[in-house]
Amino acid sequence: MWRKIEGISKTIDFTPDESYLWDEDDEMRNYHFVSSSSLARVAFKLGADMVKDFLPEDLISVVSEFTVKHYMPVVIGAKLVVGVRVKSVDGNLINFSGLITKDNKKVAEVEFTRVIVSRNYLRRKAVEETT
């Protein structure tokens, strides 16, 4: 099961497009920087893809906690390398570390936890919130 994934890692090449734009400031938006939250989102997706093959269909993993350290700016269209590793598994919690680089220089580090939950639980919660 998912408890056997400790230590596995995956690395991808990634080129952010305009949907990854840092848009908190009108002037800076014109420089087309990639946002920290977008970088984290790429790492989250990579972690989800790593876990899903080990889960039965009735379970899913969701991010419950994260930190990101953004060291240098990058612009939309820059070629990045994103690597994620499973640091540890504790019950239904899977802890990840991630590194994003450009030209072998550290762009950002991400630490995050995905919790394994029932799809039915999430469905019930969605219905409760809308009724």
Side-chain angles (χ1 to χ4, degrees):
M1 257 218 243
W2 70 85
R3 290 176 177 87
K4 297 180 183 180
I5 67 171
E6 194 167 311
I8 69 169
S9 62
K10 187 171 184 177
T11 301
I12 61 167
D13 293 331
F14 173 72
T15 304
D17 60 26
E18 289 293 324
S19 67
Y20 294 87
L21 180 68
W22 177 52
D23 61 0
E24 296 172 353
D25 181 274
D26 288 338
E27 177 198 351
M28 298 311 291
R29 169 186 281 151
N30 295 326
Y31 294 99
H32 302 277
F33 290 114
V34 176
S35 72
S36 301
S37 58
S38 293
L39 293 174
R41 187 174 74 200
V42 174
F44 296 165
K45 175 75 167 98
L46 193 53
D49 290 346
M50 291 168 62
V51 172
K52 74 179 178 183
D53 293 336
F54 294 92
L55 294 177
E57 286 188 29
D58 62 327
L59 297 178
I60 192 168
S61 70
V62 297
V63 173
S64 61
E65 180 179 351
F66 79 94
T67 60
V68 61
K69 294 178 183 176
H70 199 153
Y71 298 108
M72 80 180 216
V74 293
V75 294
I76 300 298
K79 294 184 190 294
L80 304 176
V81 176
V82 180
V84 171
R85 181 178 65 83
V86 177
K87 288 184 357 181
S88 64
V89 178
D90 184 19
N92 67 333
L93 301 175
I94 303 173
N95 300 299
F96 292 85
S97 63
L99 179 64
I100 297 123
T101 62
K102 177 184 178 263
D103 299 328
N104 291 319
K105 294 179 185 152
K106 191 185 301 185
V107 171
E109 290 179 305
V110 179
E111 301 276 332
F112 60 100
T113 300
R114 296 189 77 87
V115 61
I116 307 299
V117 296
S118 161
R119 289 176 183 268
N120 284 335
Y121 169 78
L122 291 178
R123 289 182 191 113
R124 282 193 314 272
K125 288 307 220 180
V127 169
E128 287 173 11
E129 292 292 322
T130 59
T131 57

